[in-house]
Amino acid sequence: MPQNSTEVRSKKDQGKKKGKASKPTEPKSRTSTPGQGQGSKDLKPSSGSTTNPFSLELQQQLLNLFKTSFSSSFSGQLSSILQEIKGHLYKREFDRAFGSEEFLEAYAVRWSPSRALCYLSIFRAYLRDCVRKLERQSAARDQAINPGNTVKDGELGQEDCSTIVGSDQFKVTCLGGGGGAELVALAGWLAHRHSSSHVGAGSHNSENRLPISLSLIDIADWSMVLKKLETSIHATFCSGAGAEASEEPSETSKLPLAPDKITLQFHQHDLLKMPVEDLQPLIQGSHVITLMFTLNELYSASMGQTTKLLLQISSFLQKGVLLLVVDSPGSYSTVSVGDSQADTTQKKYPMHWLLDHTLLSDDEKKDRERGWRWEKLATNESQWFRLPAELKYPIGLEDMRYQAHLYRLE
């Protein structure tokens, strides 16, 4: 049975005063755009806040999705299970860490909730303009078919994916997204955007909110975990399908949406061993590819295979697709290059440096030979996400720090 709800902060952080040495100092945010002078645009995230810009009501609802989906996981055994998982992860024994349904659910209830709220803020900051562009294209096509309709674009803002192919769905592929955080974050974002379209914007705007088609690829079998979350999402946000919208809906109202407004496909594969002919049909046609706390693990497993994976993906994606990479900042995401730990010539490189080295180029001849080039739209080497103290969850959750990088295929 679930424990009594507590504040999301872990007990070790409660009661501490600012300025204590034991509390990490918040780093200054560093946001810049490499490649200046090469025609790249500075598209910084729209919000520099370290907290989630969404309502407390919505954030609490998203936490509740984990609590209700995995209520049996909040038992007296959870602490020992989590310790065992952490031990396996430390030893890089991923088969053991994610080898049972019990371990997968324990991981999801412990680490995915705070990430889901963080990703909610990240997706809004980095992907909002792309979605608006697609929705404008969809509305324009609808207007061409039904000339009586009008297209409002007062909220469109910057169109940072001007070359992307139009679609009737917003297609997102998450490489290594099995823990459920991406699914919950995207569902929350859709709920927020749909609710916002009803508040003083006219109901026709909500019809232009594109459905989300989500594809997740992960080495572990997260299918049952994702299925439980998907069921809770539909029960929470989509069970009002066919009903009239409330005159004053909130972000957590039962939305008048069919369940197909957010669809999910999960594929269990080892990305570093997956044949390109199997990978290509799973991600082709995507508008966004994400690597959320995944790329550094891939580099650590094999820098050569990870580089090959990035090059293969670049070769068959359509122009205009966005690549969003989020991972731990600083020394937590460095990759050792050398034959072994005993190799005196072994060097360590920041993950984002290796990523730039693979994707970005100043050589036009090389770009022509490859047939593709990436442009870096935004980068943030260190950013805090802080959980609101008012949120409640059965176990303690922590604030998190991350780095984020956004690229567009030209």
Side-chain angles (χ1 to χ4, degrees):
M1 295 295 292
Q3 303 171 14
N4 293 331
S5 294
T6 61
E7 292 188 357
V8 296
R9 306 217 184 277
S10 61
K11 293 181 180 179
K12 65 182 180 181
D13 291 332
Q14 295 177 3
K16 290 185 178 179
K17 297 180 179 180
K18 293 183 179 179
K20 289 281 187 179
S22 57
K23 185 175 182 178
T25 302
E26 179 175 336
K28 294 182 179 179
S29 175
R30 293 172 292 173
T31 306
S32 59
T33 301
Q36 292 181 356
Q38 303 173 25
S40 60
K41 294 188 295 182
D42 186 5
L43 296 177
K44 298 178 182 179
S46 57
S47 173
S49 173
T50 58
T51 56
N52 200 311
F54 296 85
S55 72
L56 285 172
E57 184 184 13
L58 177 61
Q59 294 180 75
Q60 184 63 63
Q61 194 77 8
L62 298 185
L63 291 183
N64 291 346
L65 291 175
F66 291 96
K67 186 173 69 172
T68 57
S69 297
F70 312 111
S71 57
S72 62
S73 296
F74 296 96
S75 66
Q77 301 298 318
L78 180 59
S79 179
S80 59
I81 293 173
L82 292 174
Q83 289 300 321
E84 192 170 350
I85 292 173
K86 287 192 286 186
H88 290 315
L89 292 176
Y90 180 79
K91 298 176 183 177
R92 304 189 64 78
E93 298 171 344
F94 299 116
D95 289 344
R96 293 188 177 185
F98 303 122
S100 71
E101 200 69 27
E102 182 181 41
F103 279 23
L104 291 172
E105 290 194 3
Y107 183 97
V109 301
R110 175 61 183 85
W111 288 290
S112 293
S114 54
R115 284 187 177 183
L117 297 189
C118 181
Y119 294 172
L120 179 66
S121 182
I122 291 173
F123 290 156
R124 176 184 179 272
Y126 286 87
L127 306 181
R128 178 175 49 180
D129 294 333
C130 175
V131 174
R132 287 173 172 171
K133 170 64 176 178
L134 294 172
E135 287 175 344
R136 184 180 187 181
Q137 291 176 343
S138 178
R141 289 194 301 271
D142 181 63
Q143 185 183 23
I145 298 173
N146 303 289
N149 291 346
T150 59
V151 181
K152 283 192 172 184
D153 58 0
E155 293 184 345
L156 291 175
Q158 275 183 312
E159 297 177 358
D160 65 333
C161 44
S162 57
T163 60
I164 203 164
V165 177
S167 175
D168 293 327
Q169 291 183 317
F170 178 47
K171 299 180 181 180
V172 182
T173 297
C174 302
L175 304 181
E182 290 93 334
L183 170 62
V184 170
L186 286 169
W189 190 25
L190 178 64
H192 168 78
R193 300 188 76 247
H194 181 86
S195 176
S196 299
S197 71
H198 282 278
V199 181
S203 61
H204 67 279
N205 278 347
S206 67
E207 296 172 0
N208 296 327
R209 296 299 189 226
L210 288 179
I212 294 176
S213 176
L214 178 60
S215 180
L216 301 165
I217 305 174
D218 201 287
I219 192 172
D221 185 5
W222 292 94
S223 56
M224 289 306 298
V225 167
L226 294 169
K227 182 63 177 178
K228 290 182 179 181
L229 284 170
E230 185 182 27
T231 299
S232 295
I233 288 168
H234 288 166
T236 301
F237 296 121
C238 301
S239 62
E244 293 298 324
S246 168
E247 292 182 0
E248 296 182 357
S250 69
E251 286 180 305
T252 57
S253 297
K254 301 287 189 180
L255 301 182
L257 299 175
D260 62 0
K261 277 295 184 179
I262 179 165
T263 56
L264 168 68
Q265 289 186 328
F266 174 72
H267 309 277
Q268 184 182 5
H269 292 286
D270 183 343
L271 287 166
L272 297 184
K273 297 179 180 179
M274 191 177 181
V276 65
E277 57 268 21
D278 294 336
L279 176 63
Q280 182 170 350
L282 297 184
I283 70 174
Q284 211 162 26
S286 299
H287 299 109
V288 176
I289 307 292
T290 71
L291 284 158
M292 313 295 279
F293 288 87
T294 297
L295 184 58
N296 191 60
E297 291 296 335
L298 294 177
Y299 271 132
S300 298
S302 173
M303 191 182 73
Q305 289 297 320
T306 301
T307 301
K308 179 181 177 181
L309 172 68
L310 293 170
L311 294 175
Q312 287 177 335
I313 290 174
S314 302
S315 68
F316 57 71
L317 289 173
Q318 80 270 21
K319 300 298 185 290
V321 67
L322 300 179
L323 174 66
L324 176 61
V325 179
V326 176
D327 222 304
S328 300
S331 60
Y332 292 102
S333 289
T334 57
V335 182
S336 299
V337 179
D339 293 334
S340 67
Q341 292 183 352
D343 188 349
T344 57
T345 63
Q346 190 181 63
K347 295 183 179 180
K348 291 186 177 182
Y349 295 92
M351 180 206 73
H352 66 86
W353 186 91
L354 292 173
L355 182 61
D356 286 352
H357 183 72
T358 301
L359 299 184
L360 305 182
S361 170
D362 295 328
D363 190 336
E364 293 185 4
K365 180 180 179 180
K366 182 179 180 180
D367 290 339
R368 287 195 300 270
E369 291 174 351
R370 296 197 300 191
W372 55 265
R373 65 180 295 271
W374 288 94
E375 179 184 1
K376 196 167 191 178
L377 300 180
T379 187
N380 194 326
E381 294 181 19
S382 181
Q383 181 71 49
W384 277 96
F385 172 77
R386 300 201 178 280
L387 291 159
E390 297 88 346
L391 296 176
K392 305 293 182 181
Y393 194 67
I395 59 176
L397 302 174
E398 291 86 27
D399 301 332
M400 56 185 290
R401 193 161 63 101
Y402 63 90
Q403 60 175 303
H405 313 282
L406 182 67
Y407 304 81
R408 182 179 61 205
L409 190 62
E410 299 294 322

